[in-house]
Structures are given as structure tokens and as C-alpha cells.
Amino acid sequence: MTNQQNVAVLDVKSRGLRRSLPVAKSFSPTDFKMLLKKRFETEKGGARINAWVDSMRASSPTRVRSTDPTMLETDDKSSWIVHHPSALSMFEQIVAASKGKRIVMFLDYDGTLSPIVENPDQAFMSGEMRAAVRDVARYFPTAIVTGRCRDKVYSFVKLSGLYYAGSHGMDIKGPSKSCKYKKGNHGLLFQPASEFLPMIDEVYKALVEKTKSIGGAKVENNKFCVSVHFRCVDEKSWAVLAEQVRSVLNQYPKLKLTQGRKVLEIRPTIKWDKGRALEFLLEALGYANSNDVLPIYIGDDRTDEDAFKVLLDRGQGIGILVSKTPKETNASYSLQEPSEVKEFLRLLVAWKRYSQGGAPPP
Ligand SMILES: O=P(O)(O)OC[C@H]1O[C@H](O[C@H]2O[C@H](CO)[C@@H](O)[C@H](O)[C@H]2O)[C@H](O)[C@@H](O)[C@@H]1O
């Protein structure tokens, strides 16, 4: 059976299931933004904190959302996979879409190239993953787009031939060594939020102080933004943590709050995100208004949705969400976990080598 047929069969099955079962509502990035905005604008004190904690809970994908979790999960998953099929099973279609176009690769870091771990300082990527990314970058312009501080992510990835967009795209740097695809943008550096540096530093220090007595809380300075991790905080203390973060944020109206995987992220209110970084990099590579390019963006987080949305709006490129559970997303395809990302990258390299006269892909 071909992949296409596979999808068709799944589609029919899942439609049947969907009719007979209630559909779980997943919590989308838009829902989260709306919820935060509404609470900020209309509520005060305790109610506002409750809303924060609700958002923190809702962002936890391990939660069961039904009285009949097994059935609902099956329904959700099979219907979701029809609309967001595996980028591995659809590999042939993906490379077919690149015919006559230049693939440009965009890769998120945490949860995409490295598995999610409790300690953010130990989110190392494997040697095999590094080799896969290095090989991809030999054939295609490649950028790491991350919420992390740029230097920190470089210390994990350790590859010099790539573009790095740290702090959710607010700190962009071109490859440090010469590479064949660069078009005169050696030393490229773009920092649209540089004026916020002293403020972010101040907020980081205040947050460290305010959260030091909350067991498991960790504050990370990502240069142009700050992360407050609650992965290791007892759920009973989430309200206290949210209250402390709010008390600091209240003093900085030019900063806003977003949320990632068990992390509160504080960043400047400027109109810049991973999607804008993607557009900036395409322009830097000479593909601003070009039809000759196929951007592929792989990411696992809410912040990656900004980039998926840009691809959707451009009607160009391929968004791939890394997730084991169904989520509302602007991505077209899915991969379950970093090991599948590695497989996808390897396939891409094998296909490219084959198309240049090498051995056929495995
Ligand atoms: O854009 P990304 O590269 O996905 O960065 C987003 C955040 O990633 C990191 O936190 C996440 O990964 C940690 C390590 O696996 C995990 O402990 C944490 O719970 C996750 O949220 C990073 O530490 C954050 O600063 C980034 O904002």
C-alpha cells in the first residue's frame, strides 16, 4: 500500500470515529494568548494568577481530557495524523515539492534536536544528531532558530557552518566560517531588541531573587529574553511562582509573557518572533520574494507556530511539528520525536547525494 493510500484509509476510518465520539479541544497558542490577554486586561490579583496557573496546567500535554481517554486519544490521533501526516512517510512528496527549488532548513533546538530533559543546562544533542545536522548543512543553508541564548545553543550544537537565531530570533548571526551557499552575508548579525539588554538583565536578577525559595524553579538568562522553568516545581507551588513572576513583570510594561513547554518566557513587546527571523534569513540568503526556494521548518513548541504561520501565509515551504500528541498547529506534517527528526535529516542528505549521482537512499 502506498503512503497516499494509507492516508486515505486512515481518513475514512477517522471520519467514522469522529462522528461517534466527542472531539477533544486542544489548547492552541492562540487560545493561550487570548486567555492571557483577557486576564491581563480585565482581572486583578488572585483571579489573574488563577488564570496563569490554568494556562500552565493547560499547556501540560500529559493531561487526559476525556472520560474515556483511550478512545478519545485514538480518535484524536488518527484524525490528526491524517491532517498532519508523518514527514517520513510523506518524504517522497516533500522532496517532489522541492523540484527546481533550493531547500533552506530551519531547525528549532529543544525538543527537536535534543530530547526534553529536566535540567535545561543538560539538554545535549547526540553525536549522531550533530552529524545529521552537519551533513544537512553541507547541502542546504541551515539555521538553528531557538528561544535559547545564541551562545548557549552554539555550545550545544558546536557547528560553525550554520546560521543561529537565538532569543526567539532576536539575535541572528551568520556562519562563522565560509561556506558555499553564503551570498556575501559573512558576519551577518541582527539584534532588533538590543536596547532591551539592560532591562532583561535587571529582570533576570529580580526573578532569580523572587523565585529562589520556590523549590525546583529555575530562571535562565537567554540574553534578549528570560525563561522561568516550572518543570521541576511542585504543582502546588505554581500559583506562588506565577505571582512572583507577575510582581516583577508588572514593573516592566515593555515586556510580555509567552509560554513554552513548562516554561514562562519573558520577552520584549517588539513585533519579532521566530517567524520574522525566518523571513529575515530568507531575505539574507537572497530569497525574499523568490519562488525558487522551499523553506522547511521543524519545531516542537508554541513559539515555532509563528514560523509555521509565516510559511502558511507565504503559501510556500513545509512546516513540520515534532509531537507525540495531537496539537492544534499551522504545520503541515509531523514527526514524533527528535530521533525521527534525525531520520528525516539523514533521508534528506541521502536523497540529495543520490540526486547528484550517489548511491540510492536506504
Ligand atoms: O526554542 P527552543 O529551542 O525550543 O527553546 C525553548 C526553551 O527551551 C528550553 O526549555 C525547554 O527544554 C528544557 C530542556 O529539555 C526543558 O527542561 C524545559 O522544560 C523546556 O521548556 C530552554 O531552557 C528555554 O530557555 C527555551 O526558552
Side-chain angles (χ1 to χ4, degrees):
M1 185 185 283
T2 66
N3 290 330
Q4 207 75 46
Q5 284 167 321
N6 239 331
V7 170
V9 169
L10 259 176
D11 204 356
V12 171
K13 271 193 196 158
S14 66
R15 275 197 202 127
L17 275 171
R18 274 191 98 79
R19 267 198 297 275
S20 56
L21 286 168
V23 178
K25 173 95 179 83
S26 58
F27 201 78
S28 72
T30 323
D31 291 340
F32 176 72
K33 272 188 209 153
M34 293 286 287
L35 182 56
L36 272 188
K37 191 164 180 282
K38 197 169 154 212
R39 301 300 183 176
F40 264 128
E41 284 167 358
T42 60
E43 297 192 10
K44 290 196 175 79
R48 192 187 293 167
I49 290 305
N50 286 342
W52 281 37
V53 176
D54 284 350
S55 305
M56 288 156 86
R57 285 208 187 99
S59 75
S60 172
T62 49
R63 260 161 207 283
V64 173
R65 294 161 297 170
S66 161
T67 48
D68 187 355
T70 324
M71 289 300 285
L72 195 60
E73 259 181 28
T74 309
D75 174 41
D76 252 3
K77 216 167 188 162
S78 52
S79 110
W80 189 80
I81 205 76
V82 170
H83 297 291
H84 310 281
S86 163
L88 289 173
S89 60
M90 301 298 277
F91 185 76
E92 280 176 29
Q93 285 85 336
I94 291 174
V95 293
S98 77
K99 195 158 185 254
K101 298 179 196 290
R102 180 78 157 132
I103 290 178
V104 180
M105 203 69 205
F106 295 91
L107 300 164
D108 167 54
Y109 183 74
D110 290 279
T112 297
L113 297 182
S114 69
I116 293 294
V117 292
E118 286 197 347
N119 183 352
D121 293 334
Q122 291 184 356
F124 306 115
M125 68 194 271
S126 67
E128 286 188 345
M129 182 65 96
R130 184 171 298 104
V133 175
R134 188 196 52 225
D135 287 348
V136 157
R138 281 193 182 130
Y139 294 102
F140 316 105
T142 300
I144 306 292
V145 187
T146 174
R148 296 261 188 181
C149 164
R150 180 166 51 78
D151 288 346
K152 179 87 176 190
V153 85
Y154 185 81
S155 76
F156 285 145
V157 178
K158 297 190 185 105
L159 294 171
S160 56
L162 314 184
Y163 290 81
Y164 287 87
S167 308
H168 294 293
M170 288 180 283
D171 190 8
I172 301 181
K173 197 168 184 307
S176 53
K177 71 175 187 197
S178 71
C179 43
K180 61 183 179 199
Y181 52 74
K182 260 192 307 127
K183 289 184 184 172
N185 50 18
H186 182 73
L188 170 81
L189 185 69
F190 185 63
Q191 298 179 328
S194 51
E195 72 194 83
F196 285 88
L197 267 184
M199 189 186 287
I200 291 290
D201 219 39
E202 215 175 276
V203 166
Y204 166 72
K205 286 178 189 145
L207 286 167
V208 168
E209 188 55 33
K210 288 270 191 178
T211 59
K212 67 181 181 196
S213 59
I214 302 173
K218 186 173 170 64
V219 186
E220 190 182 3
N221 189 338
N222 286 334
K223 193 167 178 176
F224 294 103
C225 44
V226 180
S227 290
V228 181
H229 294 273
F230 57 92
R231 182 169 296 279
C232 299
V233 175
D234 188 323
E235 200 168 326
K236 290 190 196 98
S237 303
W238 286 7
V240 184
L241 181 74
E243 174 59 49
Q244 296 301 350
V245 173
R246 184 185 66 97
S247 71
V248 174
L249 210 56
N250 273 352
Q251 297 161 47
Y252 296 91
K254 288 191 171 171
L255 299 180
K256 65 178 176 186
L257 182 80
T258 56
Q259 193 175 336
R261 296 177 71 170
K262 301 254 170 91
V263 66
L264 299 172
E265 292 167 322
I266 290 104
R267 48 167 145 169
T269 49
I270 62 164
K271 284 191 176 151
W272 198 265
D273 52 36
K274 289 180 170 183
R276 299 292 286 265
L278 179 150
E279 286 178 316
F280 175 88
L281 282 165
L282 284 179
E283 189 171 346
L285 284 160
Y287 293 117
N289 297 309
S290 169
N291 284 324
D292 303 338
V293 64
L294 186 81
I296 300 181
Y297 189 105
I298 311 182
D300 74 313
D301 215 341
R302 287 177 177 177
T303 56
D304 298 309
E305 291 297 329
D306 294 319
F308 297 145
K309 176 87 171 34
V310 163
L311 296 183
L312 209 62
D313 291 348
R314 286 172 78 103
Q316 179 186 54
I318 287 168
I320 304 175
L321 177 72
V322 184
S323 180
K324 279 191 166 171
T325 51
K327 287 181 187 166
E328 269 184 46
T329 180
N330 288 310
S332 314
Y333 297 96
S334 63
L335 289 168
Q336 295 223 3
E337 54 195 352
S339 63
E340 287 199 356
V341 174
K342 184 176 70 190
E343 210 180 318
F344 180 81
L345 298 180
R346 282 178 171 169
L347 265 181
L348 211 54
V349 170
W351 162 79
K352 186 69 184 175
R353 284 183 182 145
Y354 179 60
S355 66
Q356 291 180 344

